[in-house]
Amino acid sequence: AFADLPQQQNYNPNEQYQSLVIEDVGGIDGIKRVLFAYGASSHWSVHLLLMDAVRYLLSSVPRKEPLKALEFDIGYNRWVHVDIDDIFVANPDSQLYPSDVKALLAVQREWRKMIPGFTFSLGFSGGHYGHGSAIGRRGDAELLSHARYFKWFCHTWSHSQPHLLSESDLLDQLMKNKKFATVHNLPIQEGYAVAPHHSGVYPVLPSLFKAWKEVWRINVTTTEGYPRLFPAWNRRGFAYDGIQVIPRQTCGVYTQTLRLKDYSGGPHRLQEMALGGEVFQTLLYTPVSFFMTHFGNYGQDRLATYVLSGAFRFLLAWTHLQLRTGSPEFLTQQHLAFHRRTEAPTSASAGLPLMSNPCADRRHAEIWPPSNPCDPDLLPSAIIGGPQKTGTTALLTFMAAHPNLVANRIRSQGTFEEPQFFSNNHIYAKGVAWYFDQFPRTPEELARLNKSFGERQLIRFEKSATYFDSFLAPDRVLALLSSRAKLIFLLKDPLQRAYSWYQHQRSHREEAALHFTFAEVLRASGPEQAASLVRQQRLASGGDAGTNNSSSALAARLLALNRRCLQPGTYAPFIDQWLLRFPPHQV
């Protein structure tokens, strides 16, 4: 197993060799450590030793202590799902022959010995059925004659990419594919779909998620592109519009990877990926793996079979891990068990992805609707981020008067003059295209605003006073605007700011502000104090002091008012969260 390690070659018993791994039992400082003499890239066995070291160290942690470190113990089960994309979508070189279909069934039976209950998941585009060569058409027919042995999921009818389709055309594509499935009695993988080229998943195309739910009742999909394709270990999932997106894994074979002799890096490279390399490491470190393969990868030299079979056997031979499978919905729950705080709809961010500028990444730009803007110059170069009641609206007015400064559009959408894109989950879910649309960009719009353009560069900016004290906004601003935007925060005496907010709420007829003085609001620092103040107020007004729904509701509003008065004025922790992500000269 260690034949490839440098010190194991030309072994000389008279020489001294460095240990690969040693344990520091913590005799001096009481902290146990496992020290590695080599990086994980030195040999595949180091990855196994690393996993064992983590489990060993965690085993000494008292289980009564709710340490976050325990989340690193991902157990002995590895959940596996294998998609075959682009069914029926093939040129003559990548079509499956009848013999390939029989081989696919044989592979499925063989893999079930390693992964109990395993079944291939086939993504189909019905519009391409029967359109290839004569032998390819026979292969298509052979596959449909054995359709009951597989699970099937929807691509689009003609394999069109959703970002290039209108909403009506997209619905038509999905409905035609559904009719094809009904006519041919395909066993559909309930609630699961994958878009061709992952178009519309990330960057998010809201119309795709809407159409999926309407036609197929989809609740799970996958993508390899969030936040980016590489590095593979950094792929993440997210939730959007009721659909959970799970990270998809690659296995070194792609649409045009058909013959071993043509493989980039040669046969040795592909073998290396399975036997200790990237695919093996994906299985080792990832509790749930949705693997992407393609129709043509199971014809010609059947490279998908080669690499995945090798990886599965290698993992089972060298570890005590067990390979398992299940429905996409079940595997989603297994995945969320490790990522619930960041990817689930119940998390603070509602599981929404961090949205970046699609044009900053070539792969994202390729699946971004051509009609949608993504020129970074159309995004703000400055943000007035709050907090509320510190003069941010006045500053917006003064800056907007400058001929070269262009403020965000003011819409009657319930947030007054503020987009509130980065702090409001509901608004953030509208996507990057919506945010681009908040800033005037056509010559006609700019002329109406008396803004100069041409030789003098226009600087766009926005004002949303809710950003300062939002724990979601810093990461979201960083993801989309990175280092281009100056962040402007206005600070004033926290007590003056709190009183100003109280008066603001009175002017908007907020019930708690109308019933209680500012001093009483400040005293409502917790649920008990708020409830007590409500009882006192009811008694003083001659009402019933008993607890009822209206009293509870008023106490809740009073407590919320207290927090909105005081929380944004605790400046230090909010300044810290911005400075953790942005250099001081940018704030």
Side-chain angles (χ1 to χ4, degrees):
F2 302 92
D4 293 338
L5 288 176
Q7 75 273 27
Q8 293 292 325
Q9 298 171 359
N10 303 318
Y11 175 76
N12 184 343
N14 296 320
E15 293 184 11
Q16 299 216 352
Y17 292 86
Q18 186 178 20
S19 297
L20 184 63
V21 180
I22 60 174
E23 179 186 3
D24 174 359
V25 297
I28 296 177
D29 58 9
I31 300 175
K32 286 187 176 182
R33 300 174 178 86
V34 175
L35 307 176
F36 285 76
Y38 293 91
S41 60
S42 302
H43 192 267
W44 60 264
S45 61
V46 180
H47 292 276
L48 299 185
L49 293 169
L50 176 61
M51 293 292 287
D52 282 346
V54 170
R55 289 188 62 86
Y56 169 74
L57 292 173
L58 290 178
S59 67
S60 64
V61 177
R63 291 289 167 166
K64 63 182 179 181
E65 297 182 18
L67 296 179
K68 293 181 180 179
L70 296 178
E71 297 174 3
F72 289 99
D73 184 358
I74 59 177
Y76 287 102
N77 287 327
R78 296 296 181 270
W79 301 92
V80 176
H81 176 98
V82 179
D83 287 330
I84 305 179
D85 289 357
D86 306 346
I87 296 296
F88 309 131
V89 183
N91 57 45
D93 288 335
S94 57
Q95 287 183 297
L96 295 195
Y97 299 165
S99 59
D100 295 321
V101 175
K102 291 182 173 64
L104 186 63
L105 288 163
V107 168
Q108 182 168 273
R109 290 192 295 270
E110 184 65 25
W111 285 6
R112 284 177 175 172
K113 298 175 183 177
M114 298 182 281
I115 313 171
F118 174 83
T119 301
F120 280 111
S121 185
L122 276 53
F124 66 98
S125 292
H128 286 266
Y129 173 70
H131 284 184
S133 63
I135 191 170
R137 291 195 296 272
R138 292 201 300 273
D140 287 354
E142 182 76 11
L143 188 59
L144 278 190
S145 71
H146 293 88
R148 64 189 181 279
Y149 296 109
F150 305 105
K151 289 293 186 180
W152 298 70
F153 65 89
C154 178
H155 274 336
T156 53
W157 168 252
S158 62
H159 203 249
S160 299
Q161 298 178 47
H163 76 282
L164 299 175
L165 300 173
S166 67
E167 290 190 34
S168 59
D169 288 341
L170 178 55
L171 283 169
D172 183 62
Q173 287 272 319
L174 298 182
M175 292 176 71
K176 283 181 177 178
N177 231 22
K178 189 170 186 177
K179 183 177 180 180
F180 178 88
T182 302
V183 169
H184 294 281
N185 198 29
L186 301 183
I188 295 299
Q189 189 88 71
E190 293 294 333
Y192 182 66
V194 177
H197 301 275
H198 306 108
S199 162
V201 181
Y202 185 84
V204 169
L205 184 68
S207 60
L208 172 62
F209 288 78
K210 179 182 177 183
W212 265 343
K213 292 197 300 182
E214 181 176 336
V215 178
W216 285 95
R217 297 182 180 178
I218 299 304
N219 51 44
V220 178
T221 187
T222 58
T223 184
E224 62 180 12
Y226 176 69
R228 289 180 175 80
L229 176 60
F230 295 113
W233 54 262
N234 195 41
R235 293 176 194 149
R236 295 291 184 269
F238 60 90
Y240 187 84
D241 197 16
I243 295 177
Q244 194 70 43
V245 181
I246 304 299
R248 212 178 195 201
Q249 307 300 335
T250 56
C251 61
V253 292
Y254 301 95
T255 309
Q256 301 303 320
T257 311
L258 306 177
R259 297 180 179 86
L260 192 59
K261 67 181 180 64
D262 299 328
Y263 190 78
S264 178
H268 175 74
R269 169 65 179 145
L270 193 61
Q271 183 182 55
E272 183 184 66
M273 293 185 72
L275 308 185
E278 181 181 320
V279 180
F280 166 77
Q281 291 166 29
T282 295
L283 289 166
L284 181 65
Y285 289 121
T286 310
V288 181
S289 295
F290 280 72
F291 281 106
M292 172 184 68
T293 62
H294 297 84
F295 192 43
N297 302 146
Y298 296 86
Q300 299 290 343
D301 288 342
R302 302 171 186 165
L303 298 187
T305 300
Y306 176 79
V307 68
L308 287 176
S309 292
F312 295 156
R313 292 192 182 99
F314 195 79
L315 185 84
L316 295 175
W318 285 96
T319 75
H320 291 294
L321 300 178
Q322 300 295 314
L323 295 175
R324 298 283 186 262
T325 192
S327 68
E329 188 170 358
F330 175 81
L331 296 183
T332 295
Q333 295 308 312
Q334 299 302 311
H335 173 82
L336 288 179
F338 299 96
H339 302 280
R340 197 169 301 279
R341 289 187 302 167
T342 55
E343 298 181 16
T346 54
S347 64
S349 66
L352 292 168
L354 287 174
M355 301 184 193
S356 59
N357 186 349
C359 284
D361 182 282
R362 178 182 61 82
R363 290 178 179 272
H364 293 165
E366 289 173 352
I367 53 176
W368 183 243
S371 59
N372 284 354
C374 61
D375 182 349
D377 288 337
L378 299 179
L379 289 171
S381 297
I383 291 179
I384 304 172
Q388 292 168 311
K389 309 314 296 177
T390 59
T392 55
T393 302
L395 180 59
L396 166 70
T397 304
F398 299 149
M399 289 177 63
H402 193 284
N404 292 106
L405 298 180
V406 181
N408 56 273
R409 293 192 178 102
I410 296 176
R411 304 174 185 269
S412 56
Q413 57 176 5
T415 57
F416 303 98
E417 73 280 0
E418 301 182 348
Q420 296 188 6
F421 179 69
F422 299 108
S423 57
N424 184 308
N425 285 335
H426 176 71
I427 297 175
Y428 192 65
K430 295 181 180 181
V432 173
W434 181 90
Y435 189 63
F436 269 101
D437 196 43
Q438 301 313 298
F439 302 93
R441 59 177 181 268
T442 66
E444 293 77 15
E445 286 181 291
L446 297 171
R448 285 197 299 271
L449 294 170
N450 295 317
K451 298 299 178 183
S452 303
F453 56 93
E455 293 184 4
R456 290 186 295 177
Q457 182 182 11
L458 292 175
I459 299 174
R460 290 169 175 81
F461 73 98
E462 71 127 308
K463 175 257 182 180
S464 293
T466 55
Y467 293 165
F468 176 75
D469 59 315
S470 166
F471 286 103
L472 298 172
D475 285 327
R476 290 174 173 178
V477 172
L478 182 64
L480 182 58
L481 304 181
S482 187
S483 60
R484 65 172 283 110
K486 295 287 186 180
L487 305 172
I488 303 170
F489 301 120
L490 305 181
L491 307 182
K492 64 189 294 186
D493 183 295
L495 189 59
Q496 292 180 4
R497 196 216 69 82
Y499 184 69
S500 180
W501 180 255
Y502 169 76
Q503 292 293 347
H504 176 75
Q505 293 302 97
R506 284 182 63 86
S507 70
H508 284 275
R509 313 301 295 173
E510 161 57 42
E511 184 180 7
L514 295 175
H515 281 81
F516 297 94
T517 67
F518 179 59
E520 289 171 330
V521 170
L522 295 185
R523 293 205 303 272
S525 57
E528 292 183 3
Q529 292 87 341
S532 175
L533 285 164
V534 169
R535 286 195 298 271
Q536 294 173 27
Q537 192 267 346
R538 290 287 166 90
L539 287 172
S541 61
D544 184 2
T547 301
N548 53 43
N549 290 337
S550 62
S551 295
S552 298
L554 182 58
R557 298 183 74 89
L558 177 59
L559 179 60
L561 178 59
N562 169 278
R563 290 175 177 170
R564 287 309 302 161
C565 281
L566 298 179
Q567 179 177 301
T570 55
Y571 297 140
F574 299 118
I575 292 173
D576 282 346
Q577 70 166 349
W578 288 97
L579 290 178
L580 281 173
R581 296 160 178 85
F582 297 90
H585 70 265
Q586 201 173 332
V587 179

